[in-house]
Amino acid sequence: MSDFEQFHYDSYQSSYTIDDQEAYNSYGFNENLCGSKKSQTGEQPPASAFIPSEMLLSSQSYTGQILQPMYSPDTHLSYADGFDEEPPLLEELGINFEHIWQKTLTVLNPMKPADGSIMNETDLTGPVVFCLALGGTLLLTGKVHFGYVYGMSAIGCLAMHALLNLMSIPGVSHGCVASVLGYCLLPMVILSVSAVVFSLQGILGISLALFIIGWCSLSASKIFTSALAMEGQQLLIAYPCALLYGLFALLTVF
């Protein structure tokens, strides 16, 4: 039994000692230390390595910070020039007070020649204001007819649009018809203001209503003939316009 244990001990015996183990551990520690130093310092290229000039220029020219771009006065000037070149807000919305005033004067003076280039514009600012004024003055006399005013205006615009497209060669848009008929509603507002002052249910009131109907229809037909180049057809256009404005006169008088 002792011989067998001696053989087992001899088979596993080697020349490895504790001194060799300590030397190996110290070598591994030094190697790990060198590796950590390399990872901290990073892989830096040698001094003789080639670096592109673009990289050097980009690193030297940028002086800003992260998420904070460099300030350039040219950028501010470009923004300022862009704002100066933008049109005014009223012009972008299609509201031109000079054209509105010229159309109003054309309606108030039926004998004044109309400018076709201005009258052919789709301007609904004046018509909406005059419709509200007509409904407001009717409200002062105790008549709540806003729905009738807008309803008859819409139906009249559609009917006149169909009629003018049949009579004129170039044709006309819905906006132009609504704009002209709405501006020519201004004399009817004068009639409704008169109804607030005195009663129109008499000879004087009916005569004034007939005069206002002729005024509105004459102004509308004059503008349509000027904008659509329909010379010689003013009376044909004035008749349906008189029928339309006669309905507004009936609302005002009765």
Side-chain angles (χ1 to χ4, degrees), residues 93-242:
L93 295 176
I95 300 175
N96 193 333
F97 289 105
E98 183 179 358
H99 289 181
I100 292 174
W101 179 246
Q102 291 181 4
K103 291 179 182 179
T104 304
L105 292 179
T106 304
V107 173
L108 292 177
N109 186 9
M111 301 305 171
K112 178 183 178 181
D115 190 358
S117 61
I118 297 178
M119 295 303 169
N120 204 14
E121 295 178 354
T122 304
D123 177 23
L124 299 179
T125 305
V128 171
V129 172
F130 295 152
C131 286
L132 291 175
L134 179 60
T137 51
L138 290 176
L139 186 62
L140 293 177
T141 60
K143 302 175 183 179
V144 185
H145 292 331
F146 285 98
Y148 290 106
V149 171
Y150 287 114
M152 289 191 302
S153 299
I155 296 174
C157 289
L158 294 176
M160 286 298 300
H161 176 263
L163 181 63
L164 291 174
N165 280 330
L166 293 175
M167 295 177 63
S168 63
I169 297 176
V172 65
S173 62
H174 291 89
C176 179
V177 175
S179 177
V180 173
L181 293 178
Y183 272 102
C184 294
L185 198 64
L186 178 59
M188 198 61 61
V189 177
I190 299 175
L191 180 64
S192 61
V193 172
S194 302
V196 177
V197 180
F198 59 91
S199 177
L200 299 177
Q201 296 181 4
I203 297 177
L204 180 61
I206 293 175
S207 301
L208 181 60
L210 292 176
F211 174 75
I212 293 296
I213 292 172
W215 187 358
C216 294
S217 59
L218 181 61
S219 299
S221 60
K222 177 192 65 175
I223 294 173
F224 279 130
T225 54
S226 176
L228 302 177
M230 299 172 62
E231 290 79 6
Q233 302 183 22
Q234 185 174 358
L235 294 178
L236 295 176
I237 301 174
Y239 177 70
C241 292

Side-chain angles (χ1 to χ4, degrees), residues 59-102:
S59 62
Q60 293 176 1
S61 60
Y62 181 77
T63 58
Q65 298 179 0
I66 298 176
L67 301 179
Q68 294 181 0
M70 291 184 298
Y71 172 76
S72 177
D74 297 336
T75 305
H76 178 70
L77 293 176
S78 63
Y79 281 124
D81 294 340
F83 287 130
D84 292 337
E85 293 176 358
E86 288 185 357
L89 180 59
L90 294 178
E91 185 176 349
E92 290 183 354
L93 295 176
I95 300 175
N96 193 333
F97 289 105
E98 183 179 358
H99 289 181
I100 292 174
W101 179 246
Q102 291 181 4

